[in-house]
Amino acid sequence: MPRAPRCRAVRALLRSCYREVLPLDTFVRRLGPEGRRLVQRGDPTAFRALVAQCLVCVPWDAQPPPATPDFRQVSCLKELVARVVQRLCERGVRNVLAFGFALLDGAHSGPPMVFTTNVCSYLPNTVTETLRGSGAWGLLLRRVGDDVLTYLLARCALYLLVAPSCAYQVCGPPLYDLCTTRHKNGSLMGLGSTLQSWNGGSGEAGVPPGCRSRRRRSHGRESPPQAKRPRRNLIPEQVPGPSASDFHAVTPTRAIVEAVSGKGEPLRSRRPLPLLGREREAGCPSSLLSSPQASSSPGVVAETKQFLYRCGSKERLRSSFLLNSLQPSLTGARRLVETIFLDSKALQPGAFRRTHRLPARYWQMRPLFRDLLGNHARCPYGMLLRKHCPLPDVARVEAVGSSDKRCGGVGICAPKEAGAQRLGQLLQQHSSPGHVYELLRACLRRLVPTRLWGSKHNERRFLKNVKKFIFLGKYAKLSRQELTWKMKVQDCTWLCRSPGGHCVPAAEHRLREAILTKFLCWLMGTYVVELLKSFFYVTETTFQKNQLFFFRKSVWSQLQSIGIRQHFDRVQLRELSAAEVKRHQEARPALLMSRLRFLPKPSGLRPIVNMDYVVGARAFRRDKKVQHLSSKVKTLFSVLNYERVQRPGLLGASLLGMDDIYRAWRAFVLRVRAQDPAPQLYFVKVDVMGAYDALPQSRLVEVIANVIRPQEHTYCLRQYAVVQRTTHGHIRKSFKRHVSTFTDLQPYMKQFVQQLQRTSSLRDAVVIEQSCSLNEASSNLFDFFLHLVHNHVIRIGGKFYVQCQGIPQGSILSTLLCSLCYGDMESRVFPGLQQDGVLLRLVDDFLLVTPHLTQAKAFLRSCHCCVYHPTVEGLYVAPSQGFKILSGIPLLPLADVAPLL
């Protein structure tokens, strides 16, 4: 039998996500004596390869296989697969085998699938189709019978190894879902460093606590022994906490299990603790805290994206904020305690509320949280803001309302005489992170009673985390493990159910840790985030990509007004009437709508649009219209990238990153060094002002029509997911699209994974196919592009506009469309420019290096005259950049060339 690929990293990844990972022949051999005859003499090579490459993964909650399986074949392979797919669709189970299939209803209609009565196929599933028509799988059915193969396809997950180091999934729940699945015993999959810090970095975050030691001892074996069924009704489930990950974040799970059940026997064999029983009966949850600070990532308390880009001119807390809606009384304190600790949703004033009896532990907290509400009502937030984040005298002049009709009800508009000098002054008036931290520290010290902290040590630890949170970058997150690190629970006497008592059981200590963690999570994820959202507009800049800048909202309102007026002056926008807006809302297909925001530059503002909205859609990022249009935009982007790779000349001298800059500059350097003597070089730097907004739409349409050729091509689009473990032990998931035509299509997943390993950096990964479309006509894509360009709606303030020239900056298509358009310009205006030299362009920044002075002057002259050229109408060279011939300079290294672009 052929030897199976090693794929050690893939096997280790699967072992961390499943109860058992066994080769197919080992799994079948365990079912009975007939399983030993799976591979016989004279079997085809394809069947032997299938048995050698197939891994059977048994999920944690999978039902056991039949006790006495029948190895007889009753159905043909196509009928059996259809029956399994129908059962999966009827049960509503996510299974890779059933991707692209659905029950017949109003959303999906058509002829039913063969051998089924109510299942149709709305997207091709190449994995299922390959399995149905494979002779090797048919022989496997004859050897193992209907019962065993049905169990494998419906209850297990099958993976096929692909040499040298990858695999793809055939059936079972998609692996990227299992990485964050919560098991019944409370453990989480894919928690990263939170769990691995306690597991010694072994990467077994998904192994139940009772099985970790056994898994470590058998790590070297190829097939670990049968794991026990996960225990239920353990104490960690009954202890209320923000999430099950909190127990791993504070102390190991083993301590609580040993403290309660002694030798580890199930809790049902012993009497439960009375304390925890009453807490449980009182309604204390054991699931994740679903509060405003809850995040999609497990173990995350707060993210910087929660307070980014919050517009408005009023520097005050929202009236709907929880602390503002509660009175400083025992009733208000009770509702606050229920919201923080008991997973209760805050209701609007006057709404009906069914009251439940509070446990004694939480009942005695009411006076303390009444003091907190009183401190909030007395806290002078405005005075603290002016003290710690003051404004210069220039910024204290109140902006007057604009009489310019084009501002469209945006709010505060800057006066017309506000020019570049005024804009530069406002850009310098951002508050430093240190001043923002001083404001938050002052608010927290006035809000939180001393008894809630428990000790100065706990207060200092929390304030240190607040300071760390303020100095984080754009994509940073703060975890529960970081927030609770070195916090002293014994100092917080308000956590005790009853006063006194020096000996605290382990279970009681863990309960107090969970309660304290909930309070800290609320204080950081709700209160601190609300302060930042209410007083500051937080954004990144063009010159510091991930560093955050804090602008007072009064300052940002003036900046935004100036930016809007400048945007109206530069971009041709046509205001839509009420009838046109209504017609766009009812249009089919729906129209994308962009919301305008500005990104600070050293000397101005860059307009950025957010295209994740749909005209008339209520929900942001969740509406089906938004998802559908976003998917079509990504498809168009993938097709344009495919054509760019197939025809590199389309981009001209355009570079898409440091890798491209290095390759182009290295080739030029080697060519120059080969000359003797070395020539004198001239460097020409040209910057285009308003490159995105000045692109003529008519010319852009011609360029894209030449790229995708609407009448010629039909594209094949495959969407797939990649799951792999990083060098630090974390599980990384990525979702990608692959475009091809019928000439280079790889119809089978094995060939596709082999191609990815040859042509990309795919290594030690599992590939899961999500969908495959074989009829993406270029004519439909071109029509969607026209629809996108000519009907792009921008919302500014309360009014809607259509952009009549240029393309919006901020979409994933913007950079590629601009590069394609300028690549077409280079072929028309600058033919033969790179003779003896090199032309580099990063979107709209040109750098020409040439040994010919006349060629350098001709290049600059052409750039200045391009505004009158009929084929590149709208190109305008920024006068601030000017032109200067740098001669006699030695060949610059790459580190000095990249900043010029």
Side-chain angles (χ1 to χ4, degrees), residues 366-431:
R366 295 179 306 138
L368 198 55
F369 282 88
R370 179 187 56 187
D371 297 341
L372 186 145
L373 289 173
N375 293 341
H376 169 74
R378 293 186 298 268
C379 181
Y381 289 104
M383 183 271 292
L384 295 177
L385 179 64
R386 291 188 295 270
K387 176 182 177 181
H388 296 284
C389 300
L391 294 178
D393 294 336
V394 181
R396 292 177 184 171
V397 180
E398 294 186 3
V400 297
S402 174
S403 59
D404 192 350
K405 296 182 180 181
R406 294 178 301 176
C407 290
V410 175
I412 301 176
C413 282
K416 292 184 178 181
E417 61 269 14
Q421 182 179 3
R422 175 61 174 162
L423 181 62
Q425 292 175 353
L426 291 174
L427 287 173
Q428 298 299 323
Q429 294 173 12
H430 56 85
S431 302

Coordinates of all heavy atoms in Angstrom, one line a residue, residues 366-431:
R366 N -25.7 46.2 46.8 CA -26.5 47.4 46.4 C -26.0 48.7 47.0 O -25.9 49.7 46.3 CB -28.0 47.2 46.7 CG -28.6 46.0 45.9 CD -30.0 45.9 46.3 NE -30.2 45.7 47.8 CZ -31.1 46.3 48.5 NH1 -32.0 47.1 47.9 NH2 -31.2 46.1 49.8
P367 N -25.7 48.8 48.3 CA -25.3 50.1 48.8 C -24.0 50.6 48.2 O -23.8 51.8 47.9 CB -25.1 49.9 50.3 CG -26.0 48.7 50.6 CD -26.0 47.9 49.4
L368 N -23.1 49.6 47.9 CA -21.8 50.0 47.3 C -22.0 50.5 45.9 O -21.4 51.6 45.5 CB -20.9 48.8 47.3 CG -19.4 49.0 47.1 CD1 -18.9 50.0 48.1 CD2 -18.7 47.7 47.2
F369 N -22.9 49.9 45.1 CA -23.1 50.4 43.7 C -24.0 51.6 43.7 O -24.1 52.4 42.7 CB -23.7 49.3 42.9 CG -22.6 48.3 42.4 CD1 -22.2 47.2 43.2 CD2 -21.9 48.5 41.3 CE1 -21.3 46.3 42.8 CE2 -20.9 47.6 40.8 CZ -20.6 46.5 41.6
R370 N -24.8 51.8 44.8 CA -25.5 53.1 44.9 C -24.6 54.3 45.1 O -24.7 55.3 44.5 CB -26.5 53.0 46.1 CG -27.3 54.3 46.3 CD -28.1 54.3 47.6 NE -27.2 54.0 48.7 CZ -27.6 53.8 50.0 NH1 -28.9 53.7 50.2 NH2 -26.8 53.5 51.0
D371 N -23.5 54.0 45.8 CA -22.4 55.1 45.9 C -21.8 55.3 44.6 O -21.5 56.5 44.2 CB -21.4 54.6 47.0 CG -22.0 54.5 48.4 OD1 -23.1 55.1 48.6 OD2 -21.3 53.8 49.2
L372 N -21.6 54.3 43.8 CA -21.0 54.4 42.5 C -21.9 55.3 41.6 O -21.4 56.2 40.9 CB -20.8 53.1 41.8 CG -20.0 53.0 40.5 CD1 -19.1 51.8 40.4 CD2 -21.0 53.0 39.3
L373 N -23.2 55.0 41.6 CA -24.1 55.8 40.8 C -24.2 57.3 41.3 O -24.2 58.2 40.5 CB -25.5 55.3 40.9 CG -25.8 53.9 40.1 CD1 -27.2 53.4 40.4 CD2 -25.6 54.1 38.6
G374 N -24.1 57.5 42.6 CA -24.0 58.9 43.1 C -22.7 59.6 42.7 O -22.8 60.8 42.4
N375 N -21.6 58.9 42.7 CA -20.4 59.5 42.3 C -20.5 59.9 40.8 O -19.9 60.9 40.4 CB -19.2 58.5 42.5 CG -18.9 58.2 44.0 OD1 -19.3 59.0 44.8 ND2 -18.3 57.1 44.3
H376 N -21.1 59.0 40.0 CA -21.3 59.3 38.6 C -22.1 60.6 38.4 O -21.8 61.5 37.6 CB -21.9 58.2 37.8 CG -22.3 58.5 36.5 ND1 -21.4 58.7 35.4 CD2 -23.6 58.7 35.9 CE1 -22.1 59.0 34.3 NE2 -23.4 59.0 34.6
A377 N -23.2 60.7 39.2 CA -24.1 61.9 39.0 C -23.4 63.2 39.5 O -23.7 64.2 38.9 CB -25.3 61.7 39.9
R378 N -22.4 63.1 40.4 CA -21.7 64.3 40.9 C -20.4 64.5 40.1 O -19.8 65.6 40.3 CB -21.4 64.1 42.4 CG -22.7 64.1 43.3 CD -22.2 64.1 44.7 NE -21.5 62.9 45.1 CZ -22.0 61.8 45.6 NH1 -23.3 61.7 45.7 NH2 -21.3 60.8 45.9
C379 N -20.0 63.6 39.2 CA -18.7 63.8 38.6 C -18.8 64.9 37.6 O -19.6 64.9 36.6 CB -18.3 62.5 37.9 SG -16.7 62.5 37.1
P380 N -17.9 65.9 37.6 CA -17.9 67.0 36.7 C -17.1 66.6 35.4 O -15.9 67.0 35.3 CB -17.2 68.2 37.4 CG -16.3 67.5 38.4 CD -17.0 66.2 38.8
Y381 N -17.6 65.9 34.5 CA -16.9 65.4 33.4 C -16.4 66.5 32.5 O -15.2 66.5 32.0 CB -17.8 64.4 32.6 CG -18.0 63.1 33.2 CD1 -19.3 62.8 33.8 CD2 -17.1 62.1 33.3 CE1 -19.5 61.6 34.4 CE2 -17.3 60.9 33.9 CZ -18.5 60.7 34.5 OH -18.8 59.5 35.1
G382 N -17.2 67.5 32.3 CA -16.7 68.7 31.5 C -15.5 69.4 32.0 O -14.6 69.7 31.3
M383 N -15.5 69.6 33.3 CA -14.4 70.3 34.0 C -13.1 69.4 33.9 O -12.0 69.9 33.6 CB -14.7 70.6 35.4 CG -13.6 71.3 36.2 SD -12.4 70.2 37.0 CE -13.5 69.5 38.2
L384 N -13.3 68.1 34.1 CA -12.1 67.2 34.0 C -11.6 67.2 32.6 O -10.4 67.1 32.3 CB -12.5 65.8 34.4 CG -12.9 65.6 35.9 CD1 -13.3 64.2 36.2 CD2 -11.7 66.0 36.8
L385 N -12.5 67.2 31.6 CA -12.0 67.2 30.2 C -11.3 68.5 29.9 O -10.2 68.4 29.2 CB -13.3 67.1 29.2 CG -13.0 67.1 27.7 CD1 -12.1 65.9 27.3 CD2 -14.3 67.1 27.0
R386 N -11.7 69.6 30.3 CA -11.0 70.9 30.0 C -9.7 71.0 30.8 O -8.8 71.6 30.3 CB -11.9 72.1 30.4 CG -13.1 72.2 29.5 CD -13.9 73.5 29.8 NE -14.4 73.5 31.2 CZ -15.7 73.1 31.5 NH1 -16.4 72.6 30.5 NH2 -16.1 73.1 32.7
K387 N -9.6 70.3 32.0 CA -8.4 70.4 32.8 C -7.3 69.5 32.2 O -6.2 69.9 32.1 CB -8.8 69.9 34.2 CG -7.5 69.9 35.1 CD -7.9 69.4 36.5 CE -6.7 69.3 37.4 NZ -7.0 68.8 38.8
H388 N -7.7 68.3 31.8 CA -6.6 67.3 31.4 C -6.4 67.3 29.9 O -5.3 66.9 29.4 CB -7.0 65.9 31.8 CG -7.1 65.7 33.3 ND1 -6.0 65.6 34.1 CD2 -8.1 65.7 34.2 CE1 -6.3 65.5 35.4 NE2 -7.6 65.5 35.4
C389 N -7.4 67.7 29.1 CA -7.2 67.8 27.6 C -7.6 69.2 27.2 O -8.6 69.4 26.5 CB -8.0 66.7 26.9 SG -7.6 65.0 27.4
P390 N -6.8 70.2 27.5 CA -7.2 71.6 27.2 C -7.0 71.9 25.7 O -6.3 71.2 25.0 CB -6.3 72.4 28.1 CG -5.1 71.6 28.3 CD -5.6 70.2 28.3
L391 N -7.7 72.9 25.3 CA -7.6 73.4 23.9 C -6.8 74.7 23.9 O -7.0 75.5 24.8 CB -9.0 73.6 23.3 CG -9.9 72.4 23.1 CD1 -11.2 72.8 22.5 CD2 -9.2 71.4 22.2
P392 N -6.0 74.9 22.9 CA -5.4 76.2 22.7 C -6.4 77.3 22.6 O -7.6 77.1 22.2 CB -4.5 76.1 21.5 CG -4.4 74.6 21.3 CD -5.6 74.0 21.8
D393 N -6.0 78.6 22.8 CA -6.9 79.7 22.7 C -7.5 79.8 21.3 O -8.6 80.3 21.1 CB -6.1 81.0 23.1 CG -5.7 81.0 24.5 OD1 -6.4 80.3 25.3 OD2 -4.7 81.7 24.9
V394 N -6.7 79.4 20.3 CA -7.2 79.5 18.9 C -8.4 78.7 18.7 O -9.3 79.0 18.0 CB -6.1 79.2 17.9 CG1 -6.5 79.3 16.5 CG2 -4.9 80.1 18.2
A395 N -8.4 77.5 19.3 CA -9.5 76.5 19.1 C -10.7 76.8 19.9 O -11.7 76.1 19.8 CB -9.0 75.1 19.4
R396 N -10.6 77.7 20.9 CA -11.8 78.0 21.8 C -12.8 78.9 21.1 O -13.9 79.1 21.7 CB -11.3 78.6 23.1 CG -10.5 77.6 23.9 CD -10.0 78.3 25.2 NE -9.1 77.3 25.9 CZ -8.4 77.7 26.9 NH1 -8.4 78.9 27.4 NH2 -7.6 76.8 27.6
V397 N -12.5 79.4 20.0 CA -13.5 80.2 19.3 C -14.5 79.3 18.7 O -14.2 78.4 17.9 CB -12.8 81.1 18.2 CG1 -13.9 81.9 17.5 CG2 -11.7 81.9 18.8
E398 N -15.8 79.5 19.0 CA -16.8 78.6 18.6 C -17.0 78.8 17.1 O -17.1 79.9 16.6 CB -18.1 78.9 19.3 CG -18.0 78.5 20.8 CD -19.3 78.7 21.5 OE1 -20.3 79.0 20.8 OE2 -19.4 78.5 22.7
A399 N -17.2 77.7 16.4 CA -17.4 77.7 15.0 C -18.9 78.1 14.8 O -19.8 77.7 15.5 CB -17.1 76.4 14.4
V400 N -19.1 78.9 13.8 CA -20.4 79.3 13.4 C -21.0 78.4 12.4 O -20.3 77.7 11.7 CB -20.4 80.8 12.9 CG1 -19.9 81.7 13.9 CG2 -19.5 80.8 11.6
G401 N -22.4 78.3 12.4 CA -23.0 77.5 11.4 C -22.8 78.0 10.0 O -22.7 79.2 9.7
S402 N -22.6 77.1 9.1 CA -22.3 77.4 7.7 C -23.6 77.8 7.0 O -24.6 77.1 7.1 CB -21.6 76.2 7.1 OG -21.4 76.5 5.7
S403 N -23.4 78.8 6.2 CA -24.5 79.1 5.3 C -24.4 78.5 3.9 O -25.2 78.7 3.0 CB -24.6 80.7 5.1 OG -23.4 81.2 4.6
D404 N -23.3 77.7 3.8 CA -23.1 77.1 2.5 C -24.0 75.9 2.4 O -24.0 75.0 3.2 CB -21.6 76.6 2.4 CG -21.2 76.1 1.0 OD1 -22.1 76.0 0.2 OD2 -20.0 75.9 0.8
K405 N -24.8 75.9 1.4 CA -25.9 74.9 1.2 C -25.2 73.5 0.9 O -25.8 72.5 1.2 CB -26.8 75.2 0.1 CG -27.6 76.5 0.4 CD -28.6 76.8 -0.7 CE -29.4 78.1 -0.5 NZ -30.3 78.4 -1.6
R406 N -24.0 73.5 0.4 CA -23.4 72.2 0.0 C -23.0 71.4 1.3 O -22.7 70.3 1.2 CB -22.2 72.5 -0.9 CG -22.6 73.1 -2.2 CD -21.3 73.3 -3.0 NE -20.4 74.2 -2.3 CZ -19.2 74.5 -2.8 NH1 -18.8 74.0 -3.9 NH2 -18.4 75.4 -2.1
C407 N -22.9 72.1 2.4 CA -22.6 71.3 3.6 C -23.7 70.3 4.0 O -23.4 69.4 4.7 CB -22.3 72.3 4.8 SG -20.7 73.2 4.5
G408 N -24.9 70.6 3.6 CA -25.9 69.6 3.7 C -26.3 69.2 5.1 O -26.5 68.0 5.4
G409 N -26.3 70.1 6.0 CA -26.7 69.7 7.4 C -25.7 68.9 8.1 O -26.1 68.0 8.9
V410 N -24.4 69.0 7.8 CA -23.4 68.2 8.5 C -23.2 68.6 9.9 O -22.9 67.7 10.8 CB -22.0 68.4 7.7 CG1 -21.0 67.6 8.4 CG2 -22.2 67.9 6.3
G411 N -23.5 69.8 10.3 CA -23.3 70.2 11.7 C -22.6 71.5 11.7 O -23.1 72.5 11.2
I412 N -21.4 71.6 12.3 CA -20.6 72.8 12.4 C -19.7 72.9 11.1 O -19.0 72.0 10.8 CB -19.8 72.8 13.7 CG1 -20.7 72.7 14.9 CG2 -18.9 74.0 13.7 CD1 -19.9 72.6 16.2
C413 N -19.8 74.0 10.4 CA -19.0 74.2 9.2 C -18.0 75.3 9.5 O -18.3 76.3 10.2 CB -19.8 74.5 8.0 SG -20.6 73.1 7.3
A414 N -16.8 75.2 9.0 CA -15.8 76.2 9.2 C -16.1 77.4 8.4 O -16.7 77.3 7.3 CB -14.4 75.6 8.9
P415 N -15.7 78.6 8.8 CA -15.9 79.7 8.0 C -15.1 79.6 6.7 O -14.2 78.9 6.6 CB -15.4 80.9 8.8 CG -14.7 80.3 10.0 CD -15.1 78.9 10.1
K416 N -15.6 80.4 5.7 CA -14.9 80.3 4.4 C -13.5 80.7 4.4 O -12.7 80.3 3.5 CB -15.7 81.1 3.4 CG -17.1 80.6 3.1 CD -17.8 81.4 2.0 CE -19.2 80.8 1.7 NZ -19.9 81.5 0.7
E417 N -13.1 81.6 5.3 CA -11.7 82.1 5.3 C -10.7 81.1 5.9 O -9.5 81.3 6.0 CB -11.6 83.4 6.0 CG -12.0 83.4 7.5 CD -13.5 83.7 7.6 OE1 -14.2 83.7 6.6 OE2 -13.9 84.0 8.8
A418 N -11.3 80.0 6.4 CA -10.4 79.0 7.0 C -9.7 78.3 5.9 O -10.3 77.6 5.1 CB -11.3 78.0 7.8
G419 N -8.4 78.5 5.8 CA -7.6 77.9 4.7 C -6.7 76.9 5.2 O -6.9 76.2 6.3
A420 N -5.5 76.7 4.5 CA -4.6 75.7 4.8 C -3.9 76.0 6.2 O -3.6 75.1 6.9 CB -3.5 75.6 3.7
Q421 N -3.7 77.3 6.5 CA -3.1 77.6 7.8 C -4.0 77.2 9.0 O -3.6 76.6 10.0 CB -2.8 79.1 7.9 CG -2.1 79.5 9.2 CD -1.8 81.0 9.2 OE1 -2.1 81.7 8.3 NE2 -1.1 81.4 10.3
R422 N -5.3 77.5 8.8 CA -6.3 77.1 9.9 C -6.3 75.5 10.0 O -6.4 75.0 11.1 CB -7.6 77.6 9.5 CG -8.8 77.2 10.5 CD -8.5 77.7 11.9 NE -9.7 77.4 12.7 CZ -9.6 77.3 14.0 NH1 -8.5 77.5 14.7 NH2 -10.7 77.1 14.7
L423 N -6.3 74.9 8.8 CA -6.4 73.4 8.9 C -5.1 72.8 9.5 O -5.2 71.9 10.3 CB -6.5 72.9 7.4 CG -6.6 71.4 7.2 CD1 -7.8 70.8 7.9 CD2 -6.6 71.0 5.8
G424 N -4.0 73.4 9.3 CA -2.8 72.9 9.9 C -2.8 73.1 11.4 O -2.3 72.3 12.2
Q425 N -3.3 74.3 11.9 CA -3.4 74.5 13.3 C -4.4 73.5 14.0 O -4.0 73.0 15.1 CB -4.0 75.9 13.5 CG -3.0 77.0 13.1 CD -3.6 78.4 13.3 OE1 -4.8 78.5 13.6 NE2 -2.8 79.4 13.1
L426 N -5.5 73.2 13.3 CA -6.4 72.2 13.9 C -5.8 70.8 14.0 O -6.1 70.1 14.9 CB -7.7 72.2 13.2 CG -8.6 73.5 13.3 CD1 -9.8 73.4 12.4 CD2 -9.0 73.7 14.7
L427 N -5.0 70.5 13.0 CA -4.4 69.1 12.9 C -3.4 68.9 14.1 O -3.2 67.8 14.5 CB -3.8 68.9 11.6 CG -4.7 68.7 10.4 CD1 -3.9 68.6 9.1 CD2 -5.5 67.4 10.6
Q428 N -2.9 70.0 14.6 CA -1.9 69.9 15.7 C -2.6 69.9 17.0 O -1.9 69.7 18.1 CB -0.9 71.1 15.6 CG -0.1 71.2 14.3 CD 0.8 70.0 14.1 OE1 1.3 69.4 15.1 NE2 0.9 69.5 12.9
Q429 N -3.9 70.0 17.1 CA -4.6 70.1 18.4 C -5.2 68.8 18.8 O -6.3 68.8 19.4 CB -5.7 71.2 18.3 CG -5.1 72.6 18.0 CD -6.2 73.6 17.8 OE1 -7.4 73.3 18.0 NE2 -5.8 74.8 17.3
H430 N -4.5 67.7 18.6 CA -4.9 66.4 19.1 C -4.3 66.2 20.5 O -3.3 66.7 20.8 CB -4.5 65.3 18.2 CG -3.0 65.3 17.9 ND1 -2.1 64.6 18.8 CD2 -2.2 65.8 16.9 CE1 -0.9 64.7 18.3 NE2 -0.9 65.4 17.2
S431 N -5.1 65.5 21.3 CA -4.6 65.2 22.7 C -3.7 64.0 22.7 O -4.0 63.0 22.0 CB -5.8 65.0 23.6 OG -6.7 66.1 23.6

